[in-house]
Amino acid sequence: MRQIQREELEPLATGAWILGTGGGGSPYLSYLNMRKLYADGTRVNLMDPAELADDALVAVVSNMGAPLVGQERLSDPAFAAKPVRMMEDYLDRRFSAVMSVEIGGGNAFQPLLVAAMTGLPVVDADAMGRAYPEAQMTSFAIAELPMFPLALADIRDNEIIVTRAASWKWMERISRKVCTEIGSIAATCKAPRTGAEVKAFGILHTTTQAIALGREVRRARQAHEDPVAATLVAARGKSLFRGKVADVQRRATEGFLRGNARIDGIDDDRGAGFQVAFQNEYAIGWRDGRVVVTTPDLICVLDSVSGEAIGTESLRYGQRVSVIALPAPAILRTPKGLEHVGPRAFGHDTDYVSVFDNASAMETWP
Amino acid sequence: MRQIQREELEPLATGAWILGTGGGGSPYLSYLNMRKLYADGTRVNLMDPAELADDALVAVVSNMGAPLVGQERLSDPAFAAKPVRMMEDYLDRRFSAVMSVEIGGGNAFQPLLVAAMTGLPVVDADAMGRAYPEAQMTSFAIAELPMFPLALADIRDNEIIVTRAASWKWMERISRKVCTEIGSIAATCKAPRTGAEVKAFGILHTTTQAIALGREVRRARQAHEDPVAATLVAARGKSLFRGKVADVQRRATEGFLRGNARIDGIDDDRGAGFQVAFQNEYAIGWRDGRVVVTTPDLICVLDSVSGEAIGTESLRYGQRVSVIALPAPAILRTPKGLEHVGPRAFGHDTDYVSVFDNASAMETWP
């Protein structure tokens, strides 16, 4: 257990936004919340998963919904903590720690916000190693752990607990409809996990990795080096395309942000075209009409100059971007994992196409 | 407290279906369930609300959703009792009795099904004195009693508890979306009521009234008298129109059955036309384009020969029908009541039009 330092917050925002692969919501507003809390003297502790007792009860939290809406309806610490209190009341048990369902995007900060309100330590782990739009797209779902109960709250006085669900997909369907009805943004506390479950099936040390990645990008930027190249080295990624955004189609629908973007090549890629499709997160990429990368590879669209990630909700015409891929956690690339998060899970009728050979990809980074 | 007799079940189905004003779902399948349970020796007790202790805890149950779907996805006693068990687990308290949210339609039998499974007595009362499509359209909502918690289950293994809601309308919106997602039919246990609340704000003795009405219709039918005329006498109603169904527009949408029907006049009404619009229940009637009756008056469409009610899901071309109106419970006709269940609550831009003068309507029937 160690204290998260004030100067780690900004790198966490940068790193988590890259790992968000376009989704998870911009970390910026949650980062501002945490900076204010730190300025007021609040401190949050980061806990190595190995420190968790097997029978410890861990809250798994998220800010759920359409990223575009998250830009308008702002999160705050009290709202983030609300479903955690609901779950404690429902279970009549106290949590020992809190973790994010996804390290990618704003949800990297969600457990920090809860920790600031409750004093609970943040577990250095998540359940995706990136961001994904749906409930069944987690390492816990792939491991077939129970998916209920789930607590969900809005900014009004609406509070819902899904006490049982027939499957992870049913949990997704029901909670998504509720989320959509209350404005396409909800604070959630997912099915509680034991310490043993987190250690066995979580994606470990991803908060630390996100901070390290963000630090490297910021270091390169300050040293006038190429921050995109720095990300590729730090996260063992591969460059896919450099270009200018030519067209974006985007719609907030069924609680998701769906669409696709076309990028015209520049520099070495002049004359070529790249297309990405997304459901909150970038899911698949085509170069000149041919699939060259799919989920679970992390498909990241970065600002070519600053190296900052560009979310699916802020991608727009004229941006100079670099499309890169980072290797996904091993469990997502197993056959069972691909059932949950492969391209077919997003409605794309293709097998998993990776830019990483299996041997190198099976290593985790950094 | 008295035992409901086997020979009361069929009259209850007939009477409740008339009081359903087209909605509440056909009682037929629930009646068959109860007949089977009675054949197997089960008996259910009916309790006068006056017998309820002030602090007794009463389960308020319903089969919620689109009536058309209720014809395909059948209810059963175990399913009806599921949300009641959920609520007991959630509250960590046992119920003393069970009542229906609405006496109209199949929901007249819902507490009997629960009683058959649990041994609880059925309270001789409901919260509408008829049927209505939405959560805020009850005497309990009009009295501004709390609307949560609400337990909701489907036939799979999905169970949801709305632990808090910002208003009755928010409770309606959230529970409706969940209901729609799980197939537009759900068994629910609404916000528990105390005995004192039921006695003060329930619509009392409506099970007894429904049985009496159904008995009278069946007696007239067997005596070769006019069962429609018998209903008008028994329930102090007024005849509005006799005709033949000429056209029905109907769609199952957003968890409701919405539409309207056109009836061409016969006998004394030859040459005239009548139109009714419905959202699960008949809400408003026009004669030759002029509004002549609106909710909360009970607008009932009956088979002209048998006197049996015709639901909005089974109304069809060619049926010989009698449109009648029955007076609504007094609380629904108060200014506060009309906010909840007047024509504007159903999107019809007109004031309440009643076929009853206020003095006679303020009496309850029979």
Side-chain angles (χ1 to χ4, degrees):
Chain A
M1 188 112 78
R2 68 171 190 83
Q3 207 177 76
I4 296 178
Q5 301 302 304
R6 186 193 297 223
E7 55 272 21
E8 293 177 289
L9 297 175
E10 201 162 358
L12 175 58
T14 297
W17 201 204
I18 294 172
L19 297 177
T21 72
S26 165
Y28 187 66
L29 299 162
S30 296
Y31 155 65
L32 291 183
N33 265 298
M34 282 310 299
R35 195 174 68 173
K36 174 74 167 62
L37 287 162
Y38 264 64
D40 295 344
T42 303
R43 291 296 178 273
V44 165
N45 286 319
L46 189 67
M47 181 187 206
D48 193 287
E51 296 174 66
L52 280 170
D54 281 355
D55 63 352
L57 195 68
V58 180
V60 182
V61 299
S62 87
N63 193 26
M64 172 183 184
L68 191 61
V69 176
Q71 294 290 77
E72 298 174 357
R73 182 169 285 183
L74 312 186
S75 188
D76 67 77
F79 179 43
K82 199 170 157 189
V84 177
R85 310 274 200 206
M86 285 169 63
M87 185 65 82
E88 287 189 331
D89 287 348
Y90 176 68
L91 298 174
D92 201 17
R93 274 188 71 185
R94 302 295 108 183
F95 285 113
S96 310
V98 59
M99 64 181 279
S100 178
V101 73
E102 61 184 1
I103 190 64
N107 274 330
F109 282 91
Q110 193 78 355
L112 276 67
L113 295 174
V114 174
M117 294 297 289
T118 60
L120 293 174
V122 173
V123 183
D124 189 2
D126 75 315
M128 296 183 180
R130 47 170 294 164
Y132 269 128
E134 299 187 22
Q136 75 281 5
M137 296 175 170
T138 65
S139 57
F140 297 145
I142 294 166
E144 298 188 345
L145 301 183
M147 72 296 292
F148 56 82
L150 175 144
L152 191 148
D154 75 354
I155 47 145
R156 302 173 197 86
D157 199 14
N158 296 310
E159 301 186 356
I160 294 93
I161 299 179
V162 184
T163 52
R164 291 185 69 85
S167 67
W168 279 92
K169 282 220 175 181
W170 271 110
M171 176 59 90
E172 164 61 27
R173 287 177 60 167
I174 294 167
S175 55
R176 184 70 50 184
K177 273 285 149 51
V178 173
C179 173
T180 307
E181 189 62 18
I182 58 182
S184 287
I185 281 291
T188 76
C189 183
K190 317 270 185 195
R193 300 272 75 106
T194 66
E197 287 172 337
V198 172
K199 287 182 279 188
F201 303 111
I203 312 292
L204 306 183
H205 304 122
T206 46
T207 306
T208 295
Q209 289 174 353
I211 293 169
L213 175 57
R215 269 207 177 119
E216 186 55 19
V217 170
R218 304 184 76 79
R219 184 206 57 73
R221 205 183 289 162
Q222 279 152 19
H224 303 289
E225 296 172 18
D226 178 2
V228 176
T231 292
L232 294 176
V233 172
R236 298 189 185 178
K238 289 199 181 178
S239 176
L240 295 174
F241 201 76
R242 285 176 79 93
K244 188 170 87 85
V245 178
D247 191 31
V248 183
Q249 310 251 338
R250 184 162 42 209
R251 59 194 195 285
T253 168
E254 298 168 351
F256 298 114
L257 187 65
R258 289 190 165 101
N260 59 76
R262 196 160 49 77
I263 304 163
D264 291 340
I266 56 173
D267 301 341
D268 292 350
D269 294 311
R270 182 168 304 273
F274 200 91
Q275 198 180 347
V276 283
F278 53 84
Q279 178 186 336
N280 289 11
E281 288 77 32
Y282 301 110
I284 184 167
W286 297 264
R287 186 188 174 105
D288 293 337
R290 192 174 58 86
V291 176
V292 292
V293 64
T294 76
T295 167
D297 279 14
L298 283 68
I299 305 170
C300 310
V301 178
L302 308 181
D303 180 293
S304 290
V305 175
S306 70
E308 203 69 18
I310 300 175
T312 53
E313 86 285 2
S314 47
L315 198 66
R316 66 172 190 277
Y317 176 83
Q319 287 169 328
R320 265 62 173 176
V321 300
S322 297
V323 185
I324 68 166
L326 308 183
I331 190 171
L332 304 185
R333 288 178 280 115
T334 61
K336 183 77 167 62
L338 291 175
E339 284 176 29
H340 287 250
V341 299
R344 290 184 207 284
F346 292 83
H348 300 288
D349 189 19
T350 175
D351 289 329
Y352 172 36
V353 175
S354 179
V355 299
F356 303 98
D357 63 66
N358 209 42
S360 76
M362 293 310 278
E363 298 171 45
T364 53
W365 64 270
Chain B
M1 186 114 74
R2 67 171 191 84
Q3 206 177 75
I4 297 178
Q5 301 302 305
R6 186 193 297 223
E7 55 272 21
E8 292 178 290
L9 298 175
E10 202 163 359
L12 176 58
T14 297
W17 202 203
I18 293 171
L19 297 178
T21 73
S26 166
Y28 187 65
L29 299 161
S30 296
Y31 155 65
L32 292 183
N33 265 299
M34 282 310 299
R35 195 173 67 173
K36 175 75 168 63
L37 287 162
Y38 265 64
D40 295 344
T42 302
R43 291 295 177 273
V44 166
N45 287 318
L46 189 67
M47 181 187 205
D48 192 287
E51 297 174 66
L52 280 170
D54 281 354
D55 63 351
L57 195 69
V58 179
V60 182
V61 299
S62 87
N63 193 26
M64 173 184 183
L68 192 61
V69 176
Q71 294 289 77
E72 298 175 356
R73 183 169 284 182
L74 312 186
S75 188
D76 67 77
F79 178 43
K82 199 170 156 187
V84 177
R85 311 273 200 204
M86 284 168 64
M87 186 65 82
E88 288 189 331
D89 287 349
Y90 176 68
L91 298 174
D92 201 16
R93 274 188 72 186
R94 303 295 107 184
F95 284 112
S96 310
V98 59
M99 65 181 278
S100 178
V101 74
E102 61 183 1
I103 191 62
N107 274 331
F109 282 92
Q110 194 78 355
L112 277 68
L113 295 174
V114 174
M117 294 297 288
T118 59
L120 293 174
V122 173
V123 182
D124 189 2
D126 75 314
M128 296 183 181
R130 46 170 296 163
Y132 269 128
E134 299 188 21
Q136 75 282 4
M137 296 174 171
T138 64
S139 56
F140 298 145
I142 294 166
E144 299 188 344
L145 302 182
M147 72 297 290
F148 55 83
L150 176 145
L152 193 150
D154 74 355
I155 47 145
R156 303 174 197 86
D157 199 13
N158 296 311
E159 301 185 356
I160 294 92
I161 298 178
V162 184
T163 52
R164 290 187 70 84
S167 68
W168 279 92
K169 283 222 175 181
W170 271 110
M171 177 58 89
E172 164 61 27
R173 287 178 60 168
I174 293 168
S175 57
R176 184 70 48 183
K177 273 286 149 53
V178 173
C179 174
T180 307
E181 188 63 17
I182 59 182
S184 287
I185 281 292
T188 75
C189 183
K190 318 269 184 198
R193 300 272 76 104
T194 65
E197 288 172 336
V198 173
K199 288 181 280 188
F201 304 111
I203 313 292
L204 307 183
H205 305 123
T206 46
T207 306
T208 295
Q209 289 174 353
I211 293 170
L213 175 58
R215 269 207 178 118
E216 187 55 19
V217 170
R218 304 184 76 78
R219 184 206 57 74
R221 205 183 290 163
Q222 279 153 21
H224 303 290
E225 296 172 18
D226 177 2
V228 176
T231 292
L232 294 176
V233 172
R236 299 189 186 177
K238 291 201 180 176
S239 178
L240 295 175
F241 201 76
R242 285 175 78 92
K244 188 169 89 83
V245 178
D247 191 31
V248 182
Q249 309 251 338
R250 184 162 44 209
R251 58 195 196 285
T253 167
E254 297 169 354
F256 297 114
L257 187 65
R258 288 191 166 99
N260 59 76
R262 196 160 48 78
I263 304 164
D264 290 340
I266 55 173
D267 301 340
D268 292 348
D269 294 313
R270 184 168 302 274
F274 200 90
Q275 198 178 348
V276 283
F278 53 84
Q279 177 187 335
N280 290 12
E281 288 77 32
Y282 302 110
I284 184 167
W286 297 263
R287 185 187 173 106
D288 292 338
R290 192 174 59 86
V291 176
V292 291
V293 63
T294 74
T295 168
D297 278 14
L298 282 68
I299 305 170
C300 311
V301 179
L302 309 181
D303 181 294
S304 290
V305 176
S306 71
E308 203 70 17
I310 300 175
T312 53
E313 86 286 4
S314 48
L315 198 67
R316 65 171 191 276
Y317 176 83
Q319 288 169 328
R320 265 62 174 177
V321 299
S322 297
V323 185
I324 67 168
L326 308 182
I331 190 172
L332 304 185
R333 287 176 283 115
T334 60
K336 184 75 166 63
L338 291 175
E339 284 175 29
H340 287 251
V341 300
R344 291 184 207 284
F346 293 83
H348 300 289
D349 188 18
T350 175
D351 289 329
Y352 172 37
V353 175
S354 178
V355 300
F356 303 98
D357 63 66
N358 209 44
S360 77
M362 292 311 277
E363 298 172 42
T364 54
W365 64 269

